[in-house]
Every structure is written in C-alpha cells, then in structure tokens.
Amino acid sequence: MNVVQITPFQLSLAYLLLIFPAAVILWYGVGLMKPLLVGAVRMTVQLLLVGLYLQVIFNYNNPWVNLLWLGMMLIVADVSIIRRCGFRLKRFAVPMFCALTAGIVIPLCVFVGLVLWKPNLLDARFVIPIGGMILGNCLRANIVGIGRFYQDIRKDEKLYLQTLAFGATREEATRPFMADAFQAAMAPTIATMATIGLVSLPGMMTGVILGGANPDTAIKYQIAIMLSILCGTAITVFLAVQLTARKSFDCYGVLQKDIFAD
Amino acid sequence: MKSVSPAIDVQALCLGFDKPLCTDVTFSLEPGAKVRIEGRSGSGKSTLLRCLLGFVRPLSGQITIFDKPLTPETLGAIRSRMAYVTQEPDLGTGTVVDTMLRPFSYKANTHLRPTDKDIQDRCEQFFLSRELLTQKIATLSGGQKQRIALIIAILLKRDIILLDEPTSALDAISKVAVAEHFYRTDQTVVWVSHDTTAFDKAGHVISLDIACSQEVVL
C-alpha cells in the first residue's frame, strides 16, 4: 500500500498547530496552559510507546497476547469511567468490566468473524484497532450514561422516593432514569451516524484511505465500524446501568450514597 | 370481642443520622385513626414518615404495619397499603393528567386506575379546574402541585395516608377542604405539621419534642 511516510522532522511541524490554541489560552488568561502542555506531551509519549508496543504485538500476533492487550484496554477503560464519574472503584469495577467486555466482544465477533470473514477472531491487525475504536466510544458513552443515571437519581431523590411511595417497585422507579441515561449516552453516536460523510470524514475511513485503499473500501469499513460502535455502546450502556444498579440500591430500594467517591 | 390489629405500631423507635433526632418513640394507631405529629424543626417529624416507608433506617426500634414488621420482605406489601405526600412534591414531567395516571401504570396499582370522572371530581373537590389537566406539571404553582399529589394519594385508595406538611402552600379554603376530606375518610391518616391549626380536629397529637416514652394508643 502507498502510505506516505512522515519523518520525525515533518511530525514536529505538526506541533506548530498548538500555537493558536496556546495563544488564545494566554490571551484569555485561563488556566489551561499547563493541561495543554501536559496533554500534548502525554499524548506524544503514550502514542510512541503504544506504536512500539503494537509493532511488537503485530509481529508476534499471538492470540493470547492479543487477548491480554484487549483485556488491559478494558481494565483501563473500566477504571477511567468509574473514576471520571466519581464512583467508588470497589463497588463498580466488576459489573462495569462485564458490561464493557460484552460491548466489545459481540460487535468484534460480528465485524471480524462475519463482515471481514476472518476465522482468526484474535488477529492483532483487526482485534486491536477495531476493539480500540469501539472501546473508545463505549468509554465516552458510558461516562455520560452511567454518570447521568446515578447523578439524576441523587439530584431528583424526591421524585424517585415519591415514585416508590406511590407503589412503584425499584425497577419501575428507576426505569425512567435508565431511559434518560440511555438516551443521553446514545444521542451523540446516533447524531454522528446521521451526519457522517457530510460533516466529517471519520477516523477509520481516513485511516484506510491514507493507508492506500480506495474510498469504496474505506466506506465499507466505516459503515461496519459505525454499526459496531452503535451496537457496542448500546450494549455497554444498557448492561452497565442494569448490572451496577443491582449493587447500588439497598433492600428498601434507596440509592446507597457510598457508591459515590465524594 | 376480637381486637383489631393496629394499622401502625411503632415501638421504642430511635431516629437519627449521626446523632439521634428523637428517641424511644412509641405509638400505636388503630385503623381509621387520625393523628397529627408536631415538633420543632429538626425533631424528626419528616424522618419518622420516611422511616415508616423504609426510606430511612431507624437507629433502633420496630415498626409494624397491619401486623407485618417492616422488613425488606414485607416492604412491597406495606408500601402498597400506604400513600405519602410531601410538602414540595416532585411529580416528574408531562401533563397533569399524565402525572396523575402514572402511578396507576405500576404493577401494584393497575387495578385501581381511576376514570376521567374520578379525576375530575377530585379536582373539583380541591378547587382545581378541568383545564388544568392538560397543562404541563412544571407550570403549576406549589399549591396546585400539593393538591395534585393529594388527589393521587386519594385515588390510590390506600389504608394509610402519610402527609408531610401537605397544605403548606394552600390558601385557607383549600386547606379546610383537604383537612375535611381526611377527617371524614376511614383511612388512617398521619399528618405532620408545624401549623397547629392544620388538621386541628385530629384525634390525637404526637409531639416529638416530648416523644420519649410517650405511648399513644388510638
């Protein structure tokens, strides 16, 4: 494939793009300069390391190593979601991990096994980048979904308790909150899907085109990945809320405050 | 003569969070009893009602509703015999009529679904116009929301009604209409209020300021 190579010098020119955001930050005097610089450095170091790592993993291409890599990605996503939403890790780590795993494995099997028709489901070339794309979107959706579900119940505690007091079971009382959380989590993915190609050329399609494939192939990959992302986010958000809810309410249906880290 | 089981039996209840709000609260209410709970702010009046519904755990003591001790196993059966209205009811979103009918979509209440006439009659009883039914609940005043919540509680036809300052936002005429309704009903009514004139014909008053070892049997 005709991939245009980027030399270290050429890459360093890309950092010129930081000048404008840095200038605006300085001009407004907002405290974003340090996070911007730390973020840029972290991104560079992390991606360089991951690049080296992936090179080894791709060359080795051992299913168990690939599985281990996927597992590590899941653990990092698991911890990130729980920390970001302000929950106690101990309370949510296992159910969230299960939700994420289901949300990755199902669309991955369909994408790699059925769409690409690859018998080796754990081929590094597919499982790691495609898994990563689905997982990244699941992470974003879950931060919105699960965060919204519990914050709303805490914020609207009076409404929730009033519902229980009018005879609703815990499942009936939490259902509207679950529906709202699901809607909030899924809306960005659905909106992206509706405008894709018109507003943006998404990452995978760009990557496939830059990798030398023709746009026709790139579009097919993009359609498959969008459907995988949609399915993965729906599964993880649904399961994350359902599975964590089992451990988050006491036997009287009241939300346990100790799920929150603050 | 066979003795009647108390509707609510509270024994040596100690309520509080970090420290006790009130201790050794004991009372027993027969079915149909009307009682007003009073006490200074922070004495545990609202907490007592929340405790009867299982929303708050007592520090010690026991609650029995119609011979059933309040436990996770009996909770569903107990809550389905109670209705609860707070000072500032949060009734969610949607139109007034949607809000009024929502509790009747819960499994425990489907058989109680009221007719349009039931709803309109109750609205009339509490001086709410029919036109209000199609309005958004968010546009209602505090007093209107209180009356909507009270109407839902009445339509649910529970044996026990727990009311926490239910008329605080009502004008004098509406207050009387609400109080008169609950005096006349054969339900057990527990009415929490600072206002000594509200529900002043209640059979008994329980003061949480002097609740220690107070035994009330009605």
Side-chain angles (χ1 to χ4, degrees):
Chain A
M1 286 200 280
N2 295 323
V3 181
V4 178
Q5 295 298 327
I6 299 178
T7 66
F9 172 71
Q10 286 171 306
L11 181 62
S12 67
L13 295 178
Y15 288 89
L16 292 173
L17 296 169
L18 288 176
I19 292 174
F20 183 72
V24 177
I25 286 168
L26 282 176
W27 194 58
Y28 278 128
V30 289
L32 280 176
M33 188 53 88
K34 194 178 164 193
L36 176 80
L37 295 175
V38 170
V41 171
R42 274 189 64 163
M43 173 196 70
T44 308
V45 173
Q46 283 166 197
L47 287 178
L48 285 174
L49 287 175
V50 167
L52 291 173
Y53 234 79
L54 287 179
Q55 196 68 53
V56 174
I57 285 178
F58 279 27
N59 289 338
Y60 195 49
N61 201 14
N62 178 300
W64 293 107
V65 175
N66 299 343
L67 200 62
L68 192 69
W69 180 263
L70 200 63
M72 278 178 53
M73 284 164 51
L74 283 166
I75 290 171
V76 173
D78 186 18
V79 174
S80 303
I81 294 166
I82 295 167
R83 290 248 163 92
R84 187 73 185 273
C85 293
F87 299 126
R88 279 188 203 278
L89 195 58
K90 217 168 67 179
R91 299 293 302 268
F92 280 10
V94 174
M96 180 61 80
F97 184 82
C98 295
L100 285 170
T101 304
I104 298 301
V105 169
I106 294 168
L108 256 182
C109 287
V110 174
F111 194 136
V112 181
L114 293 179
V115 179
L116 299 178
W117 202 250
K118 295 282 174 190
N120 179 12
L121 290 175
L122 291 171
D123 188 326
R125 273 201 311 147
F126 301 107
V127 81
I128 291 172
I130 294 169
M133 287 187 76
I134 299 171
L135 190 57
N137 283 278
C138 289
L139 185 142
R140 273 196 293 274
N142 258 311
I143 287 172
V144 175
I146 200 161
R148 170 100 178 238
F149 175 66
Y150 289 104
Q151 297 298 349
D152 277 3
I153 290 191
R154 182 152 79 161
K155 179 168 64 74
D156 297 329
E157 191 187 29
K158 268 167 59 179
L159 170 63
Y160 175 70
L161 295 181
Q162 183 72 73
T163 308
L164 289 178
F166 279 154
T169 59
R170 198 261 290 165
E171 287 75 18
E172 287 170 325
T174 52
R175 200 183 159 88
F177 292 95
M178 287 183 176
D180 281 352
F182 188 76
Q183 188 179 16
M186 294 303 294
T189 307
I190 292 171
T192 304
M193 208 165 62
T195 57
I196 209 157
L198 298 175
V199 179
S200 61
L201 279 185
M204 181 172 225
M205 193 168 156
T206 313
V208 175
I209 291 170
L210 289 176
N214 60 40
D216 179 48
T217 307
I219 284 165
K220 288 173 190 159
Y221 269 85
Q222 190 57 50
I223 290 171
I225 193 69
M226 280 311 297
L227 296 173
S228 302
I229 287 169
L230 189 76
C231 173
T233 48
I235 291 171
T236 44
V237 173
F238 174 76
L239 285 181
V241 172
Q242 292 284 346
L243 295 178
T244 56
R246 289 167 181 235
K247 291 185 150 204
S248 306
F249 295 85
D250 67 15
C251 46
Y252 292 88
V254 179
L255 183 66
Q256 293 178 322
K257 302 293 183 292
D258 66 353
I259 62 163
F260 298 103
D262 56 353
Chain B
M1 198 174 119
K2 195 184 166 191
S3 65
V4 183
S5 310
I8 302 174
D9 187 56
V10 170
Q11 293 298 322
L13 205 66
C14 178
L15 297 173
F17 300 97
D18 297 331
K19 57 178 186 175
L21 293 170
C22 54
T23 57
D24 208 12
V25 178
T26 297
F27 62 87
S28 189
L29 306 181
E30 284 189 0
K34 317 283 183 257
V35 65
R36 187 164 65 81
I37 310 272
E38 64 172 26
R40 66 186 190 288
S41 293
S43 59
K45 301 186 297 295
S46 300
T47 308
L48 174 62
L49 295 195
R50 289 158 66 93
C51 205
L52 293 174
L53 287 152
F55 295 153
V56 176
R57 261 348 66 67
L59 299 174
S60 60
Q62 193 174 354
I63 295 168
T64 308
I65 309 291
F66 289 110
D67 284 339
K68 285 196 175 87
L70 181 62
T71 64
E73 290 72 37
T74 60
L75 185 70
I78 285 177
R79 279 192 189 149
S80 66
R81 300 191 74 169
M82 289 181 171
Y84 170 58
V85 176
T86 60
Q87 186 175 4
E88 291 170 357
D90 188 340
L91 300 168
T93 54
T95 63
V96 172
V97 72
D98 288 345
T99 304
M100 290 174 102
L101 290 175
R102 196 171 297 130
F104 300 94
S105 66
Y106 308 145
K107 239 182 297 174
N109 305 328
T110 45
H111 63 290
L112 298 169
R113 191 182 165 92
T115 62
D116 291 348
K117 188 174 180 307
D118 291 335
I119 292 174
Q120 283 165 9
D121 288 351
R122 291 300 175 190
C123 285
E124 215 167 278
Q125 183 186 356
F126 293 136
F127 313 113
L128 294 170
S129 68
R130 285 181 187 188
E131 290 70 41
L132 201 80
L133 292 172
T134 52
Q135 278 185 30
K136 295 279 182 196
I137 194 88
T139 63
L140 267 52
S141 69
Q144 287 171 321
K145 282 184 191 165
Q146 276 186 339
R147 280 175 283 171
I148 297 294
L150 286 164
I151 290 171
I152 296 171
I154 292 166
L155 292 171
L156 283 168
K157 296 178 183 155
R158 302 297 203 229
D159 297 311
I160 298 171
I161 306 278
L162 307 175
L163 304 170
D164 190 354
E165 302 271 12
T167 56
S168 59
L170 299 191
D171 58 81
I173 297 171
S174 301
K175 247 182 212 183
V176 170
V178 172
E180 282 299 326
H181 173 87
F182 287 108
Y183 290 137
R184 283 201 312 271
T185 177
D186 56 359
Q187 294 158 312
T188 306
V189 181
V190 181
W191 183 304
V192 161
S193 183
H194 274 300
D195 181 358
T196 50
T197 59
F199 215 55
D200 55 356
K201 286 184 240 163
H204 202 92
V205 176
I206 297 174
S207 170
L208 291 188
D209 296 335
I210 51 164
C212 300
S213 302
Q214 179 179 214
E215 286 203 21
V216 180
V217 179
L218 293 170

